Amino acid sequence: MNITRPLRHLGTTLSLATAVLLGSCAQSPFQPEAGPTIIDEPPPAVSGAPGPAGPRVGPPLGPGLGLPAGQAPIALRPDHPQTYTVVPGDTLWSIASRFLKNPWQWRQIWRKNQQIRNPHRIYPGDVLRFSYDPAGNPQLEIGQREEVPLLKLVPEVRVESLVEPIPPVPRAAIESFLARGQILGAADWQKLPYILADDDDQAIYADRDRVYARGADFDQSRYQVFRVGEELREPGSGRSLGVSGVYLGEAVLERAEDPATFVLAKTIAPVRAGDRLVEIEEDKEVYSFEPHPVPPDTQGTIIARLNTDVTQITQYSSVVVNLGAQEGMEPGHVLAIFGKDRKVEDPVSGGSVRIPGERAGLLMIYKVHDLVSYGLVMQAERSIRMQDRVLTP
């Protein structure tokens, strides 16, 4: 169900230099940039040829900005490795952080190897190799990928785990919110089917309890159970951005009558009469996105925490920001987190002075609704609080 509204104006315009710096990050995934400015030490000189002096630079610089037109500088870590072997538990962000100061610039140095199946994906055991191309641009590629040999085995029953490509962010940090996060309008929640009662006149229900529900022609075998949660509001204007749902568990259909009969399963919190049933959507490819910065001039606010049991926002905390599909948000968008500005009294000259909020970390969007998005805190450089601003990094 979609919620529509007029587009919100997104903050004040950033400087032209910032816009040019970020322009190159909107390229298609894993396409290396041509001739970018490099912030790094030069590669070793070829034998018999004099090596360049000082930091390497790309093509002629753009007018007045010290950068190639439309290009952002690739900021390499001075201690980056020449090779790295991917291990289980790695993420695209963690690997990129080994080579780049700005992990979202990964696609600018990635070189596709067309001789390898699925060249876009990286798996545990892959050996990544850093080098420079003939034009002097940094690049990263899979230097080695070992295929699993075929073995003749005697017939037996066994269980194998398939090797999956590494995800962009830790799966455990977002998996529950991807599958169980719901934000709908208040009227949309009221239209959903609801739990009427159980079969034993109890006030709360749990796993294996039989319950009855109404409000729909139930045609699926399983549904998710939600309790209508808090309303999310636009900072400043107070406009409603939707109502979040609190995931409680699942309900398995026994009889599709009126009322229908369900059995509760996988409950993580008590279920009550009035809780809502939501159809379970088909699984989607939710880990195919890659880190990339939001467009210039994007500005929003952290308006809620997804895990209400945790009081502090730290690394790998999930939060809600007041930017959604209407502002062009998409999974993989990276934003910088800044604290709120504050006013202090000048003890010498008198009057109040505005102190700007300092950068507090980085946030990556991983699920987008119409009006809001879920973001994962990738870096927490100082305290992060509700109402902190999120901006173009």
Side-chain angles (χ1 to χ4, degrees), residues 32-94:
E33 302 284 338
T37 298
I38 312 303
I39 302 178
D40 188 28
E41 293 300 318
V46 178
S47 178
R56 293 162 46 80
V57 296
L61 300 179
L65 295 177
L67 292 170
Q71 298 287 343
I74 296 178
L76 295 171
R77 289 178 58 95
D79 58 346
H80 67 75
Q82 294 301 309
T83 61
Y84 177 73
T85 302
V86 181
V87 299
D90 275 339
T91 65
L92 184 58
W93 185 279
S94 68

Side-chain angles (χ1 to χ4, degrees), residues 155-175:
E156 60 179 352
V157 177
R158 57 184 180 146
V159 178
E160 289 188 10
S161 60
L162 298 177
V163 177
E164 296 183 343
I166 63 168
V169 297
R171 292 178 185 269
I174 66 174
E175 202 151 33

Side-chain angles (χ1 to χ4, degrees), residues 358-373:
E358 296 293 336
R359 176 168 147 161
L362 288 172
L363 178 82
M364 184 189 293
I365 299 297
Y366 65 85
K367 185 172 184 178
V368 178
H369 296 272
D370 192 26
L371 309 180
V372 298
S373 298

Side-chain angles (χ1 to χ4, degrees), residues 170-229:
R171 292 178 185 269
I174 66 174
E175 202 151 33
S176 62
F177 301 119
L178 277 167
R180 304 168 181 174
Q182 284 287 346
I183 296 178
L184 302 173
D188 294 326
W189 280 112
Q190 294 302 316
K191 295 175 184 176
L192 291 174
Y194 57 92
I195 291 177
L196 182 67
D198 74 336
D199 64 350
D200 198 25
D201 201 24
Q202 299 296 313
I204 60 176
Y205 328 129
D207 261 18
R208 302 180 184 177
D209 284 349
R210 181 172 286 105
V211 297
Y212 305 97
R214 301 192 72 193
D217 295 327
F218 297 103
D219 57 1
Q220 292 194 12
S221 60
R222 292 164 55 244
Y223 290 77
Q224 290 180 319
V225 184
F226 283 89
R227 179 164 301 135
V228 179

Side-chain angles (χ1 to χ4, degrees), residues 336-385:
I337 306 170
F338 283 82
K340 293 187 295 184
D341 295 350
R342 58 193 180 95
K343 287 186 177 181
V344 299
E345 296 299 320
D346 188 328
V348 177
S349 302
S352 60
V353 179
R354 184 183 67 85
I355 302 295
E358 296 293 336
R359 176 168 147 161
L362 288 172
L363 178 82
M364 184 189 293
I365 299 297
Y366 65 85
K367 185 172 184 178
V368 178
H369 296 272
D370 192 26
L371 309 180
V372 298
S373 298
Y374 295 170
L376 186 71
V377 176
M378 301 303 301
Q379 294 175 206
E381 299 157 9
R382 55 195 302 149
S383 297
I384 299 174
R385 300 178 176 88

Side-chain angles (χ1 to χ4, degrees), residues 24-36 71 74 104-114 119-120 133 137-140 290-291:
S24 68
C25 294
Q27 304 294 326
S28 59
F30 292 112
Q31 294 297 323
E33 302 284 338
Q71 298 287 343
I74 296 178
W104 60 84
Q105 293 182 316
W106 173 268
R107 66 178 67 187
Q108 296 176 246
I109 68 169
W110 180 254
R111 178 179 178 271
K112 293 185 295 183
N113 189 335
Q114 301 297 344
H120 297 293
D133 66 16
N137 302 313
Q139 62 181 12
L140 196 64
E290 301 156 23

